[in-house]
Amino acid sequence: MKHLWRALGYLRNYRLWAVGAFLGLLLSSAAKLVVPRLAQMVIDSGISAGHLTVVVRGAAGMVLVAVAGSAFSVMQGILSARVAQGVAYEFRNQLYAKIHSLSFSYHDRAQTGQLLTRATSDVDMVQRFVGTAFINLISAILMMVGSIVLLFVTDWQLALIMLLLVPLTLGIVAVLARKARPLFMRIQQQLADLNTILQENIVGVRVVKAFAREPYEQARYAAANRSLFALNMEVGRLMAIAIPLVFLIANLSVLAVYWIGGYQAIAGHASVGRLVAFANYMMMAFFPMLMLGMIVTMLAQAGASAERIFEILDAQSEVEERPDAVPLPPVKGRVAFEHVGFRYFSSGPPVLEDINFVAEPGQTVALLGATGSGKSTIINLIPRFYDVTTGRVTIDGYDVREVTLESLRRQVGIVLQETTLFSG
Ligand SMILES: Nc1ncnc2c1ncn2[C@@H]1O[C@H](COP(=O)(O)OP(=O)(O)OP(=O)(O)O)[C@@H](O)[C@H]1O
Ligand SMILES: [Mg+2]
């Protein structure tokens, strides 16, 4: 939950739009709540009483309310989209910048597929929650409370039925939400696994072909894909059962209302218009309950996604610039290693131990050694792709950890073992 609160903080920059979207939703909901009242008036004071003017006025009122309601809906839709897209835009940019700022050691451990999924699909989830679900959640609660209150105002005796139905429906919705929640989290994880396989195979497609591993890799992908399919099907089945079930309850309760209310109306205790209004409010009360269920499941899903995003945004880069770092002045090029020791992981084996050498300006130095002896590792320490575990590396007497990264890397030329082509 705390991750969701933090994600909601991203609404800060879109406060006005969010408030506008919420108002739009509120007003369009209010418009919906007015219609049954007008219908009641038309039936009781118009049709039953034989006053045509009342019917015409009532109908005109309904048209007016419907048009206004639609206009508010449009306003809400546009503003919500603005908020949602704005939040997603910020998340994507922040993630991208963070991925760039993280050190080599982070990327050694991170799976590219995971990073990709978090920067795309997880951002979508959070966007949907922050931009839409959150606003809908508040409105669903208001609509539910509003229609139930109006039910009691319309006919408090009939409304007592709701005391039975509301807990029943909310119970069904709660069971659905509890079942769906873990599924949604697994779907997101499975999607990341699938993307990891996809990314590895696209990058390494030449290796896969060279070793004739296509059938193996295809089987691996198919297995992950099958799991995703099965998980999504499970969610689909749950939804397919739950939604009609709630509507069945809603329809049956409307039936009950007409039945009981019908008796009363025939006996002259209740008016037909009131009965119709009541039935309409009843239908209206069920929809937000269903919404509530969906939003609650979405809440959990978005929470998991937000957590996965903040995990990246909060990651500490192992190579950090010191607050008091100074720019490295134009270098002459005296590179010195002093008692340098290095491990890739704190628990891993030492790769370098007590390395001492000086490369003077103008000198050409070659490192020779068996494969895996640590040549590339030594080079990686000069531009601070990694930090030494012990000892220090200096350029013109400056410890590389004491200068700004930008000034250091701008002055160190490097040709990597593997080449990468960038588009554009
Ligand atoms: N990113 C990494 N994470 C963990 N261990 C690593 C990493 N890169 C290299 N190593 C290990 O560190 C050791 C030194 O590797 P390094 O790449 O520096 O050797 P090298 O001398 O450049 O080899 P080559 O001649 O094959 O390029 C090896 O045992 C290697 O397995
Ligand atoms: Mg190497």
Side-chain angles (χ1 to χ4, degrees):
M1 269 321 264
K2 69 170 197 278
H3 304 289
L4 278 182
W5 274 120
R6 204 171 143 195
L8 282 177
Y10 282 72
L11 281 175
R12 210 175 315 122
N13 295 337
Y14 304 91
R15 223 177 295 145
L16 280 182
W17 284 286
V19 170
F22 181 60
L23 274 181
L25 198 59
L26 215 60
L27 291 172
S28 66
S29 306
K32 277 188 211 128
L33 288 174
V34 169
V35 172
R37 267 280 171 277
L38 288 172
Q40 182 181 356
M41 187 189 87
V42 166
I43 295 172
D44 284 350
S45 317
I47 299 174
S48 303
H51 289 310
L52 195 60
T53 42
V54 176
V55 176
V56 173
R57 264 193 221 140
M62 277 194 234
V63 171
L64 215 70
V65 168
V67 170
S70 305
F72 289 130
S73 282
V74 170
M75 161 178 150
Q76 180 260 327
I78 293 174
L79 293 177
S80 292
R82 179 74 184 76
V83 173
Q85 295 308 327
V87 168
Y89 169 83
E90 278 190 25
F91 265 121
R92 278 195 293 263
N93 275 349
Q94 280 195 7
L95 276 172
Y96 192 65
K98 183 73 191 191
I99 288 171
H100 270 162
S101 83
L102 286 167
S103 66
F104 274 43
S105 50
Y106 181 84
H107 289 289
D108 286 344
R109 285 189 300 266
Q111 290 174 320
T112 312
Q114 281 279 353
L115 295 181
L116 280 177
T117 307
R118 291 174 193 210
T120 52
S121 156
D122 282 316
V123 169
D124 277 350
M125 289 296 167
V126 175
Q127 170 209 318
R128 256 186 271 166
F129 167 71
V130 174
T132 337
F134 178 60
I135 293 172
N136 280 329
L137 176 70
I138 303 177
S139 126
I141 293 174
L142 288 178
M143 266 302 268
M144 193 175 90
V145 174
S147 44
I148 291 175
V149 166
L150 281 171
L151 277 175
F152 276 92
V153 170
T154 310
D155 188 332
W156 70 268
Q157 279 159 325
L158 268 183
L160 292 177
I161 302 179
M162 289 310 273
L163 292 184
L164 195 79
L165 291 174
V166 171
L168 177 68
T169 312
L170 285 180
I172 292 175
V173 167
V175 169
L176 160 80
R178 243 223 334 268
K179 286 202 165 175
R181 204 187 335 210
L183 285 174
F184 279 127
M185 304 216 188
R186 279 168 59 201
I187 285 176
Q188 217 50 22
Q189 185 54 45
Q190 190 61 33
L191 198 63
D193 290 351
L194 198 72
N195 279 345
T196 299
I197 301 178
L198 186 64
Q199 177 270 333
E200 281 172 0
N201 275 271
I202 292 174
V203 172
V205 68
R206 289 171 184 78
V207 182
V208 174
K209 283 178 182 296
F211 289 89
R213 297 286 277 176
E214 295 99 323
Y216 171 80
E217 290 297 338
Q218 274 161 22
R220 195 157 77 99
Y221 188 77
N225 201 3
R226 205 158 36 237
S227 305
L228 185 65
F229 173 83
L231 285 171
N232 274 319
M233 272 313 293
E234 245 178 280
V235 171
R237 257 196 299 271
L238 272 179
M239 293 291 173
I241 296 171
I243 296 174
L245 194 63
V246 170
F247 276 107
L248 181 68
I249 296 178
N251 285 322
L252 287 179
S253 27
V254 168
L255 186 79
V257 165
Y258 277 123
W259 191 14
I260 303 171
Y263 268 118
Q264 290 181 343
I266 291 170
H269 297 315
S271 76
V272 177
R274 203 156 82 170
L275 199 58
V276 170
F278 191 90
N280 278 333
Y281 283 131
M282 193 123 179
M283 272 316 242
M284 262 181 212
F286 279 100
F287 187 67
M289 284 193 246
L290 200 58
M291 274 287 263
L292 223 57
M294 300 220 206
I295 294 169
V296 168
T297 53
M298 205 180 200
L299 220 69
Q301 198 180 4
S305 285
E307 183 174 1
R308 288 156 53 84
I309 291 174
F310 288 129
E311 222 170 75
I312 299 182
L313 290 181
D314 293 343
Q316 280 287 324
S317 183
E318 275 165 40
V319 175
E320 286 274 12
E321 197 168 272
R322 287 191 190 169
D324 57 349
V326 292
L328 179 65
V331 296
K332 297 188 191 64
R334 186 177 194 275
V335 175
F337 274 58
E338 300 169 18
H339 304 290
V340 169
F342 180 72
R343 301 167 194 267
Y344 276 100
F345 307 106
S346 48
S347 57
V351 175
L352 302 176
E353 267 176 309
D354 199 29
I355 304 287
N356 293 282
F357 70 87
V358 177
E360 297 290 351
Q363 240 184 349
T364 302
V365 178
L367 298 178
L368 298 182
T371 183
S373 58
K375 306 178 294 293
S376 297
T377 305
I378 287 180
I379 300 305
N380 283 340
L381 295 178
I382 301 174
R384 259 192 104 192
F385 290 157
Y386 298 91
D387 272 340
V388 295
T389 312
T390 56
R392 61 187 208 135
V393 176
T394 64
I395 297 179
D396 294 348
Y398 285 91
D399 188 319
V400 289
R401 286 168 298 185
E402 281 161 10
V403 297
T404 61
L405 284 171
E406 203 265 341
S407 70
L408 170 69
R409 291 188 184 156
R410 203 157 27 90
Q411 299 192 67
V412 177
I414 188 159
V415 178
L416 297 169
Q417 234 160 335
E418 285 126 31
T419 53
T420 312
L421 279 177
F422 288 91
S423 62

